[in-house]
């Protein structure tokens, strides 16, 4: 499992780096272990078993998480190319994509919610899928939009993880 996880994270990094450069790839890839750690802690707290169904749900949800991270990272990169400072680009890029990312997460949660209503043995088996997808969608959205308090000018009051990398250099 650990080799498969490392391979998956490496492939996400490499494929993102091809299209967005190494900074964008770092941002997108950083969301995976960070959110994964929080999910595992919550699983432990809620008593959710780590089995084939929950792992499958985590994999599906991480695919959605990576998509949202790519959208925000690309928005920031676009603002940097347009001449904004990396800091302001992180703020504006995140703000510009906040509603689409929230809408994406909401529709994902709504699409998986009916699985919570399945009854019987199949309901017990499948219930972990919407639970995990909902949990990861919520956590990923929170992480992408509100992770780190910004220093200096920030009209949102918060800055995304994208800002951590964007603040460290001017070129993507």
């Amino acid at each position: 499992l650990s080799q498969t996880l490392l391979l998956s994270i490496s492939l996400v990094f490499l494929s993102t780096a091809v299209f967005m450069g190494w900074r964008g790839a770092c941002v997108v890839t950083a969301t995976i272990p960070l959110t994964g750690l929080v999910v595992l802690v919550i699983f432990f707290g809620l008593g959710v078993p780590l089995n084939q169904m929950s792992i499958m749900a985590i994999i599906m949800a991480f695919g959605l998480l990576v998509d949202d991270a790519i959208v925000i990272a690309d928005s920031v990169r676009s603002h940097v190319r347009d001449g904004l400072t990396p800091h302001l680009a992180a703020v504006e890029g995140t703000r510009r994509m906040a509603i689409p990312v929230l809408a994406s997460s909401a529709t994902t949660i709504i699409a998986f919610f009916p699985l919570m209503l399945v009854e019987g043995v199949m309901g017990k088996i499948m219930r972990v899928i919407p639970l995990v997808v909902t949990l990861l969608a919520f956590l990923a959205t929170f992480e992408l939009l509100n992770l780190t308090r910004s220093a200096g000018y920030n009209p949102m009051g918060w800055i995304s993880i994208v800002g951590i990398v964007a603040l460290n250099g001017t070129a993507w």
Side-chain angles (χ1 to χ4, degrees), residues 145-163:
L145 299 177
N146 303 310
L147 184 65
T148 308
R149 194 60 97 152
S150 172
Y153 173 72
N154 188 346
M156 284 178 49
W158 294 90
I159 192 167
S160 76
I161 191 169
V162 175

Side-chain angles (χ1 to χ4, degrees), residues 23 76-77 80-81 84-87 89 165-172:
R23 288 186 189 276
V76 171
R77 187 173 69 150
V80 168
R81 271 189 273 154
L84 290 180
T85 65
H87 179 127
V165 174
L167 287 171
N168 291 323
T170 57
W172 283 70

Side-chain angles (χ1 to χ4, degrees), residues 26 31 38 45 109:
C26 286
T31 61
V38 173
I109 291 168

Side-chain angles (χ1 to χ4, degrees), residues 33-159:
L34 189 58
T35 305
L37 181 63
V38 173
V39 165
L40 291 177
V41 168
I42 293 173
F43 271 22
F44 180 73
L46 295 176
V48 176
L50 197 58
N51 56 30
Q52 288 179 330
M53 291 301 280
S54 60
I55 291 172
M56 182 194 70
I58 289 171
I59 292 167
M60 283 190 315
F62 273 136
L64 302 169
L65 162 67
V66 168
D67 288 346
D68 288 346
I70 288 171
V71 167
I72 291 176
D74 186 58
S75 178
V76 171
R77 187 173 69 150
S78 172
H79 282 296
V80 168
R81 271 189 273 154
D82 290 344
L84 290 180
T85 65
H87 179 127
L88 192 53
V91 172
E92 293 301 320
T94 302
R95 183 171 46 190
R96 181 173 135 206
M97 291 291 106
I99 297 300
V101 167
L102 287 169
S104 171
S105 295
T107 57
T108 299
I109 291 168
I110 291 167
F112 279 91
F113 181 76
L115 290 176
M116 292 286 280
L117 306 175
V118 175
E119 296 177 355
V121 175
M122 282 307 292
K124 289 180 182 177
I125 294 171
M126 293 175 54
R127 193 157 289 125
V128 73
I129 295 172
L131 175 69
V132 170
V133 170
T134 299
L135 181 63
L136 267 170
F138 177 77
L139 288 172
T141 302
F142 180 81
E143 176 187 331
L144 288 170
L145 299 177
N146 303 310
L147 184 65
T148 308
R149 194 60 97 152
S150 172
Y153 173 72
N154 188 346
M156 284 178 49
W158 294 90
I159 192 167

